[in-house]
Amino acid sequence: MEPLSAAAPTGVVYMQAPGPPSVLVYGREEIGAPGPGQVRVRQAAIGVNFVDTYFRNGSFAVASFPFVPGVEAAGTIEAVGPDVTSFRVGDRVAYHFVVGAYAEVRLMPTNGLVRIPDDISLAQAAAVTTKGLMAWALLRRIYPVQAGSVVLVHAAGGGVGSLTARWARALGATVIGTVGTAAKLAAVQPYLDYAVALDQEDLAARVLKITAGQGVDVVYDGVGQATFNASVPVVKPGGTLVLYGSSSGRPQPLTPAVLAQRQLTVVSPVLGTYLPTQAALEQAAADVYAALQQGWFGELTTQNYPLAEAARAHADLEARRTTGSVLLLP
């Protein structure tokens, strides 16, 4: 990324070393013409995901610095490179897990781009594409939820959690959701069958009471250390625990004896495994956008920050002060 100078035309957030949110710096960079197989995208909204904090704090290795974090955004193609025939100038597109998203304008390969339906805004696409794809994998591939399923969704007020809970309910499941504090209950109660505030209630006692001692079919957990092991007693024998994130840290692994005793299945998925080809990505994204169009996600909850305030967005996300999807707006 050259140069990072005050005179360059477009905004970008970058870091020179891993560390706390304050390492994220807003600067300017020049973006040239796209090369073969590339397009230039002017981004309207950038999704902030918890994985971004792992790149920032050094949990995930970065090959070189300066480094531009971020893995998803939505925008409009303003130039196409040689030999690009699958996209045109003016196409509205989104992408999933292409590092370098914290920028007003970027060059990127066409592989990984998906078109956005006309009736979905760029901000909506940035709010649901990556998080919706994870919800899709959780509900349709990892543990296929159907009418009558009983599910427990941790961090039900977060980006992935809220979409997963809403989608599961639309599929006919009974949805129990947790939030970290009672202050978040009002935000999640409209789309949950039961809401549990972990700062006020015992998780196992409440869930077993709700389910008349039967427990849940599946737990979807993006929190990790604070919730995962506490969820084990509420899963039915033969049930499934899905650990798709660890915002509170990695939990202690369950012993083989615990798993065998109750025949539990534990899955720690990598989303890309379920999206092995461009065609698979396009179909999954179409399913996510269809769920949005059908109203299954309800009124999307987003918290918006100027791109230049990415550090504040990270600090709020890590402190669990955010609800719904977090967006950076160039």
Side-chain angles (χ1 to χ4, degrees):
M1 183 183 59
E2 296 181 353
L4 287 171
S5 68
T10 63
V12 62
V13 170
Y14 66 98
M15 48 188 273
Q16 296 283 13
S22 59
V23 301
L24 297 177
V25 177
Y26 181 76
R28 310 289 288 180
E29 69 172 341
E30 293 180 347
I31 302 294
Q38 288 186 322
V39 296
R40 190 172 68 219
V41 179
R42 182 163 294 276
Q43 305 192 134
I46 300 158
V48 178
N49 296 279
F50 215 89
V51 70
D52 300 353
T53 70
Y54 299 152
F55 283 105
R56 191 212 71 229
N57 66 25
S59 296
F60 286 1
V62 171
S64 62
F65 294 96
F67 174 77
V68 178
V71 298
E72 76 165 326
T76 303
I77 293 176
E78 62 178 23
V80 299
D83 303 325
V84 172
T85 58
S86 53
F87 291 93
R88 297 182 297 179
V89 171
D91 283 350
R92 301 163 68 249
V93 295
Y95 58 87
H96 151 71
F97 220 91
V98 184
V99 174
Y102 287 10
E104 291 180 15
V105 179
R106 69 175 300 191
L107 299 176
M108 59 185 304
T110 57
N111 189 43
L113 287 176
V114 293
R115 287 184 178 81
I116 302 168
D118 292 341
D119 59 345
I120 293 177
S121 72
L122 294 173
Q124 287 176 316
V128 305
T129 299
T130 292
K131 298 169 185 68
L133 287 170
M134 178 56 79
W136 167 86
L138 295 175
L139 297 167
R140 310 311 282 159
R141 293 294 184 272
I142 298 165
Y143 184 93
V145 164
Q146 54 192 329
S149 297
V150 181
V151 308
L152 173 61
V153 180
H154 287 302
V160 176
S162 61
L163 297 183
T164 300
R166 292 174 187 268
W167 200 340
R169 203 173 184 195
L171 294 171
T174 297
V175 181
I176 305 166
T178 71
V179 289
T181 67
K184 291 189 174 184
L185 283 173
V188 302
Q189 284 169 332
Y191 57 84
L192 298 173
D193 293 295
Y194 302 94
V196 181
L198 295 178
D199 65 337
Q200 291 191 346
E201 301 180 83
D202 178 83
L203 174 66
R206 179 71 192 285
V207 172
L208 291 174
K209 181 178 180 181
I210 291 168
T211 61
Q214 297 300 303
V216 302
D217 296 299
V218 60
V219 175
Y220 295 119
D221 189 355
V223 178
Q225 188 176 75
T227 53
F228 186 75
N229 291 89
S231 303
V232 174
V234 307
V235 184
K236 293 177 180 177
T240 301
L241 296 106
V242 186
L243 180 67
Y244 67 87
S246 52
S247 62
S248 67
R250 296 291 298 180
Q252 290 294 321
L254 300 179
T255 66
V258 169
L259 297 174
Q261 181 181 18
R262 299 181 51 223
Q263 294 296 297
L264 301 178
T265 299
V266 176
V267 184
S268 296
V270 175
L271 179 54
T273 302
Y274 304 92
L275 303 169
T277 65
Q278 178 70 16
L281 171 62
E282 291 173 359
Q283 182 56 62
D287 291 346
V288 172
Y289 296 148
L292 176 62
Q293 290 167 316
Q294 292 173 62
W296 290 358
F297 297 153
E299 188 70 25
L300 289 178
T301 300
T302 64
Q303 288 192 227
N304 302 331
Y305 298 77
L307 176 60
E309 297 182 17
R312 182 166 67 89
H314 273 227
D316 288 349
L317 181 66
E318 289 180 306
R320 303 185 189 179
R321 291 189 289 264
T322 62
T323 301
S325 296
V326 179
L327 300 180
L328 300 176
L329 304 181

